[in-house]
Amino acid sequence: MRVRLELGDLERAIAARDPELGDLLVRYLGQSDPSPGAPEIDPEPFDDDAPDEPDVPAGAYTLDRLRKAMQPSALVNRTGTEQKLARVDAFAAAEASRFAPPRLRVGRLLRALYDRGEPGDRSALARVFADGKLQWGSWQAAKAIYKLAEERHDAEMWGALACRFDIMAATEFADIGTGTLVYLRWRAWRFLRELGRALPEAYATFVAELLRHYPADYDGPSWVAAHVFARTLDARYAAPFKPDSFDDRAFPDAWKASPAPLLHLLEVCANEVAIEFGIQLLTTDHALALRAIQPAWLAAIGRQGIAALDAFVVRLLEDSPDLHQSKLRALGLHDVIVGFLRSASEPARAYALDYCAAYATDIAVRDLLALVTGDGDAAVQKFAAARLEAMKPLQLGLAALCQLLGVKAAPWAGGKLAQAFSPGDLSAEMFVDTAARGEAAYAALVDWFESKRVPVPAATYVALLDDERFADDDDDDVGPIIAAAWTELAKRPAREIGVAWIQRSLERRDRTERVKKWLADGKLAGDDLDVDWLKALVRKPRLRAIALPLLADRRLVSPAKVGLTWVLDLARSQDDDLVAFGKRMLLDGFEPADLGGVARIWQMATGKSDAVRAAMATYLQAHHPDLGPRLDDAKAVGVTPRLDHDAYAMATVRPLLRDPRVDVRTLALAIAGEEIARWGEPTVAFELAGSPFPDVRVVGAELLLGTVSDAADARRVPVTWLDGDRLFQLAESPYKGAREVALTLIRTLYDRVGGVERLAWLMDSTDREVRLFAVRLFWDRHRPRPWPDSWTPKLATTGVVGAQRFDDLASLQQFARVVVFGLPPGRVAPGDARAEGAPRPERALTASVAKRRLIESMRDLALDDVELARAIAPLFGELALSIAKGEWQASVQALAALRARHGELA
């Protein structure tokens, strides 16, 4: 990208007489205008010191205001002189304004150059008037200089400007009005007409300077040149720049005065129409002058490479005995004629072939190669190929023979190459240059290598694919070569190709698919497969789908190289694809040994890092023999468990059930729920149910209650674990949920774990609900039988009749007396009640308080059961006579409450 220029750059170039001034002027005029008041060169992006966009004050002269001032509608009702002065004043105001484009001031610079008049200045002006953008600024200078050129009869500058005005009138307008261009074109036409009438000797010079400036390919309409070519002097007549003939031309006598303008035209003109015009006039009007033409002039026009000039030179050579072919070398025309072998003119080529066959036996090999390998005439190719074939292989050289491979005119090149050279002599650069000439040349090279039983080096194919000439697979000329190179590289090991090159190629869009297949086939493996590079590719969405399978392939990349930390980072990503891969890689990609073994996995699962704990917890669950197949994450990945039950020993898991961290307990609970039966340790189940942590208690309750559940999917422990001692101890837990579980099981399994003595123990509980439960269960299970003794065995089979029924009410009352009167002081709650978060136990109760609480519990239950009230009332009557204050008060209150509810009791 070219750097923008500013007006100051032009001023310095003019002062320094820079030889590139013309190019600089053209570049500057082609630039877009800056915003009003803004600098011509934009400040650096994000430059804090850059000035803000300037505010354009009202009334400031900008380019838009200048355009409005120049419009005809702004100059109505004014005389011509007034309109001209108004335009001059408007332009001067804009030129002086800092809010108008600085290029408006270029006109003054161009005028100063013309006034200075040095050869470099005139050359720069000619370049501007031929190719520069003519708009306000440069346009004012062009008009002024044109008028001065007319006055001073400056043919060179007049011709450049007259030609440009003629072309602009047909092709471009910019800031210039159509009327102005039409006027200037007509003015140039009129100047030539008047010059031909008044000063014929200068007419041809001016016309030659006009014609020389028309571009080589210009064939558009022309008024000014039509004056020269056409059969009329009517200013309204315009014709294409392609006259049918030049026989009838304007002012024919003016051309007969001297051949100099025409000779000069042929030396400097590039337009073939103008050249043909000059040749015809020289031939018809100056035949004698052509006989005396100098060889140096022929050489000058012969070097221009224009077919019409080549044919003209040959015609002059053939017509002059003094210019016989045998004399051309001495006359300095040898190289020119040899150059005609490449001419577009058939007569010139034929003449050059005759000359070279007889007098040019020393044509350089490089020139002959250019003729053979070029797109020239078949006869010329045959001639050059014959010259080369006659030479020995070493005389031609390796480079030359490679250039000839695949060329139809030189089928012998391969034989000469094999005769004198071996593939080891060929550099990769030369191989690529040869292959770039087409499929035939490439095939010849490969055949040469195969004939010598030498494989083409992988580095050579790499160089070929990296060459910009082989960048387009769809190019019919090089596409097959590209495909062949990739095919050959696919057979080579990665280190021969270059691991770095393979990596770069994967990241190139045009190569990704090819290299992707290589990687899938294991082209890069072991130390050649850079894991860090693959990780970097994962961060590139386009290449992620390629990198992830490679990282997960244990045949190519060991998990140890991938690293657990990186996999965990992916699992925490915001990208769903990366999260899914991270989980899949962790669960299916890592063997236990990759993670350091089972002990190390448990260590990480209980470590300090939350992320590592979570990952290892998932891993341990997914690879559990029973739990893994049911785990959603494991099923999604298709994990086959890789750990056995020995990896989940009770000694490892049991301490984790008391861990203060929720996630650690969650893992331990998941494993304990699967392994507890295998551990064979009943105390674990009761530890769970009585745990200070609610989540642990929930699982313990589920396991214990599952033993009495009918649900098929209920989790449970062996029913033999439901020991009475443990259940009754659990019933005194400081946690309500644990007590409820124990009481539920005691009620359900009373016949197996219960007993009157155990109920008496519960009646001494510090918890009111437990005492009520004990009294209620005592009454339900041990009330006197209301049926004959003979019915008991039959009813026992239905579950209606429990064990240890008292024979009659008196027996039950006697037992209650023993329990109440023999009640010891209240116990302190079990020691595990002091665990963190548990309620603090009450201090040891006195016997009187314990008895009072039991009396209250029996009273509350008897209020709803009249039979129990009748059975227990006598006991309350006896206790009411006690001398212990607490006992008789509680008993009197109980009797009063029961009589209030049930009336007088017997």
Side-chain angles (χ1 to χ4, degrees):
M1 180 178 178
R2 285 188 171 183
V3 178
R4 282 180 62 91
L5 299 172
E6 57 184 355
L7 191 64
D9 295 326
L10 300 184
E11 293 171 342
R12 287 187 290 272
I14 291 172
R17 290 171 172 76
D18 191 332
E20 303 295 329
L21 177 59
D23 291 336
L24 293 175
L25 286 166
V26 172
R27 276 181 55 195
Y28 180 80
L29 293 173
Q31 293 177 170
S32 59
D33 293 328
S35 301
E40 291 188 271
I41 300 179
D42 295 332
E44 291 293 328
F46 312 112
D47 184 358
D48 294 336
D49 297 329
D52 297 332
E53 188 76 13
D55 293 328
V56 182
Y61 243 100
T62 61
L63 188 62
D64 288 339
R65 182 175 177 185
L66 178 61
R67 288 196 178 102
K68 294 177 181 178
M70 293 291 190
Q71 290 176 354
S73 59
L75 302 172
V76 294
N77 300 324
R78 298 190 186 185
T79 64
T81 301
E82 290 174 339
Q83 291 181 3
K84 179 178 180 180
L85 292 174
R87 291 191 180 98
V88 170
D89 291 341
F91 192 86
E95 189 177 5
S97 173
R98 61 180 290 264
F99 297 100
R103 51 106 170 164
L104 297 179
R105 299 193 287 275
V106 169
R108 294 188 179 185
L109 299 181
L110 298 181
R111 282 287 307 273
L113 279 177
Y114 186 68
D115 292 338
R116 193 165 71 177
E118 297 178 3
D121 301 336
R122 294 177 63 82
S123 176
L125 288 172
R127 173 87 165 85
V128 170
F129 296 146
D131 302 316
K133 186 176 182 180
L134 296 185
Q135 53 189 342
W136 284 334
S138 57
W139 175 252
Q140 278 69 20
K143 287 196 303 179
I145 293 173
Y146 175 78
K147 294 175 182 178
L148 291 173
E150 281 187 346
E151 295 175 4
R152 301 174 184 177
H153 284 74
D154 185 345
E156 179 185 7
M157 206 57 61
W158 179 92
L161 287 166
C163 174
R164 183 63 184 276
F165 295 159
D166 191 31
I167 295 174
M168 285 182 68
T171 59
E172 58 183 296
F173 297 98
D175 293 334
I176 318 306
T178 307
T180 302
L181 288 171
V182 169
Y183 162 74
L184 289 171
R185 183 176 58 181
W186 173 83
R187 178 167 176 159
W189 174 88
R190 184 187 64 179
F191 177 81
L192 280 182
R193 182 188 63 179
E194 298 299 330
L195 190 64
R197 291 173 178 173
L199 198 61
E201 60 272 18
Y203 174 81
T205 300
F206 273 79
V207 170
E209 288 295 338
L210 170 72
L211 297 179
R212 65 167 291 196
H213 286 96
Y214 284 95
D217 57 350
Y218 184 72
D219 58 359
S222 170
W223 276 21
V224 184
H227 161 80
V228 180
F229 302 144
R231 275 74 60 191
T232 178
L233 296 183
D234 189 346
R236 296 169 298 175
Y237 178 75
F241 200 69
K242 285 185 177 180
D244 295 332
S245 69
F246 304 114
D247 295 336
D248 188 8
R249 59 189 182 278
F251 305 105
D253 293 337
W255 293 103
K256 298 177 182 179
S258 171
L262 294 172
L263 295 174
H264 176 66
L265 176 64
L266 297 187
E267 290 178 15
V268 297
C269 187
N271 186 284
E272 291 216 18
V273 174
I275 289 172
E276 290 174 1
F277 174 78
I279 291 173
Q280 180 170 344
L281 267 61
L282 280 171
T283 303
T284 56
D285 297 340
H286 301 284
L288 293 177
L290 290 178
R291 291 180 178 276
I293 207 72
Q294 295 297 314
W297 184 83
L298 292 175
I301 65 173
R303 292 191 181 96
Q304 295 187 44
I306 299 174
L309 291 177
D310 295 345
F312 180 59
V313 170
V314 167
R315 192 165 73 234
L316 294 178
L317 293 176
E318 291 176 336
D319 291 344
S320 176
D322 295 333
L323 298 176
H324 187 267
Q325 289 184 352
S326 60
K327 301 178 181 181
L328 296 183
R329 187 184 293 269
L331 295 173
L333 291 170
H334 172 79
D335 292 340
V336 174
I337 303 307
V338 173
F340 283 175
L341 291 172
R342 303 183 184 87
S343 175
S345 168
E346 184 175 354
R349 292 196 305 273
Y351 182 86
L353 283 172
D354 290 341
Y355 172 78
C356 291
Y359 301 102
T361 58
D362 58 347
I363 300 176
V365 172
R366 65 175 180 275
D367 295 330
L368 292 172
L369 286 173
L371 293 173
V372 173
T373 58
D375 296 330
D377 182 66
V380 174
Q381 287 183 328
K382 182 178 180 180
F383 161 78
R387 285 283 182 92
L388 293 171
E389 186 179 9
M391 298 180 184
K392 296 180 179 180
L394 292 178
Q395 185 181 1
L396 288 171
L398 177 61
L401 288 172
C402 285
Q403 290 184 54
L404 292 170
L405 289 178
V407 177
K408 291 183 180 180
W412 41 265
K416 285 184 176 290
L417 182 66
Q419 179 183 346
F421 299 97
S422 65
D425 300 324
L426 187 69
S427 67
E429 181 181 3
M430 193 177 297
F431 185 102
V432 175
D433 290 341
T434 304
R437 292 191 296 101
E439 195 172 356
Y442 172 78
L445 275 178
V446 174
D447 290 344
W448 176 40
F449 273 81
E450 291 179 350
S451 68
K452 299 293 185 178
R453 297 183 179 180
V454 176
V456 178
T460 298
Y461 284 123
V462 167
L464 182 146
L465 293 175
D466 283 344
D467 192 281
E468 61 181 8
R469 291 170 289 184
F470 294 90
D472 187 2
D473 291 13
D474 296 329
D475 188 332
D476 293 338
D477 294 331
V478 298
I481 301 174
I482 296 173
W486 280 106
T487 301
E488 289 300 319
L489 284 179
K491 303 174 184 177
R492 310 297 176 88
R495 293 194 178 183
E496 184 179 344
I497 299 170
V499 174
W501 185 85
I502 295 175
Q503 292 175 348
R504 291 194 303 271
S505 296
L506 178 69
E507 299 189 42
R508 282 182 46 169
R509 290 184 179 273
D510 58 328
R511 297 179 178 178
T512 298
E513 288 302 316
R514 286 189 170 104
V515 180
K516 171 186 174 182
K517 187 176 185 306
W518 286 4
L519 298 181
D521 293 341
K523 176 76 78 174
L524 294 180
D527 294 337
D528 292 337
L529 186 57
D530 187 345
V531 176
D532 289 336
W533 170 66
L534 289 178
K535 291 178 180 178
L537 295 183
V538 171
R539 300 300 178 185
K540 301 178 179 180
R542 187 177 69 86
L543 301 173
R544 178 180 300 163
I546 300 173
L548 291 180
L550 295 175
L551 287 167
D553 192 338
R554 294 179 60 89
R555 298 170 302 172
L556 301 176
V557 181
S558 67
K561 287 187 175 181
V562 177
L564 178 62
T565 301
W566 185 78
V567 173
L568 295 181
D569 288 341
L570 290 188
R572 294 194 297 268
S573 170
Q574 299 298 319
D575 190 300
D576 293 341
D577 293 338
L578 295 182
V579 172
F581 173 80
K583 289 184 177 179
R584 183 168 61 253
M585 182 69 183
L586 172 67
L587 298 180
D588 199 40
F590 284 84
E591 295 282 353
D594 298 328
L595 298 171
V598 174
R600 175 59 179 162
I601 295 174
W602 278 107
Q603 184 180 359
M604 290 189 288
T606 58
K608 295 181 179 180
S609 172
D610 294 345
V612 175
R613 288 203 309 272
M616 291 301 100
T618 303
Y619 188 89
L620 286 167
Q621 294 178 71
H623 288 280
H624 188 278
D626 301 327
L627 178 60
R630 304 197 308 269
L631 198 67
D632 290 341
D633 286 342
K635 288 192 291 185
V637 177
V639 173
T640 299
R642 296 170 182 167
L643 295 174
D644 56 21
H645 294 289
D646 293 340
Y648 304 91
M650 182 178 67
T652 301
V653 181
R654 189 174 187 177
L656 306 184
L657 297 169
R658 296 187 293 273
D659 196 286
R661 294 167 294 185
V662 175
D663 60 316
V664 175
R665 294 199 305 273
T666 301
L667 168 63
L669 288 172
I671 301 303
E674 301 295 328
E675 295 291 328
I676 191 167
R678 291 185 181 85
W679 292 341
E681 180 55 56
T683 57
V684 176
F686 289 94
E687 287 178 7
L688 295 177
S691 171
F693 302 107
D695 53 337
V696 180
R697 291 199 298 272
V698 168
V699 175
E702 181 182 355
L703 291 171
L704 293 177
L705 293 175
T707 57
V708 297
S709 172
D710 295 331
D713 59 347
R715 292 202 298 176
R716 65 195 72 192
V717 295
V719 69
T720 57
W721 287 12
L722 299 181
D723 176 77
D725 290 341
R726 295 190 182 93
L727 282 176
F728 279 91
Q729 289 175 4
L730 186 63
E732 296 249 20
S733 170
Y735 306 104
K736 181 178 179 180
R739 296 195 298 271
E740 290 176 348
V741 169
L743 297 179
T744 300
L745 290 172
I746 290 171
R747 179 185 295 279
T748 305
L749 303 173
Y750 182 77
D751 292 338
R752 189 163 161 252
V753 302
V756 175
E757 296 81 1
R758 296 186 188 281
L759 283 179
W761 188 68
L762 287 182
M763 290 178 186
D764 188 23
S765 173
T766 58
D767 185 86
R768 179 176 180 274
E769 294 297 328
V770 174
R771 295 194 302 272
L772 282 174
F773 169 82
V775 173
R776 182 181 293 112
L777 186 60
F778 171 75
W779 175 249
D780 289 344
R781 294 289 182 172
H782 298 288
R783 68 174 64 185
R785 299 185 180 92
W787 53 79
D789 292 341
S790 60
W791 290 12
T792 300
K794 183 176 181 181
L795 291 175
T797 61
T798 66
V800 173
V801 178
Q804 300 184 19
R805 287 277 184 176
F806 290 99
D807 294 335
D808 51 32
L809 183 61
S811 299
L812 184 147
Q813 290 172 341
Q814 179 59 32
F815 174 78
R817 282 190 199 91
V818 174
V819 170
V820 173
F821 288 110
L823 197 65
R827 300 181 310 279
V828 177
D832 63 353
R834 293 181 175 85
E836 181 180 356
R840 305 304 296 173
E842 297 180 8
R843 60 187 179 87
L845 299 177
T846 62
S848 60
V849 173
K851 291 178 182 179
R852 178 173 56 80
R853 289 183 176 179
L854 178 58
I855 293 170
E856 291 172 350
S857 297
M858 290 189 294
R859 176 203 65 196
D860 292 342
L861 190 61
L863 288 175
D864 296 327
D865 190 329
V866 66
E867 292 298 326
L868 176 60
R870 182 175 293 110
I872 209 70
L875 176 60
F876 289 159
E878 294 179 17
L879 292 174
L881 302 175
S882 173
I883 61 174
K885 181 178 179 180
E887 292 178 15
W888 69 261
Q889 288 181 341
S891 299
V892 169
Q893 291 173 351
L895 285 172
L898 292 176
R899 288 168 181 166
R901 174 67 62 87
H902 301 299
E904 291 296 329
L905 298 174

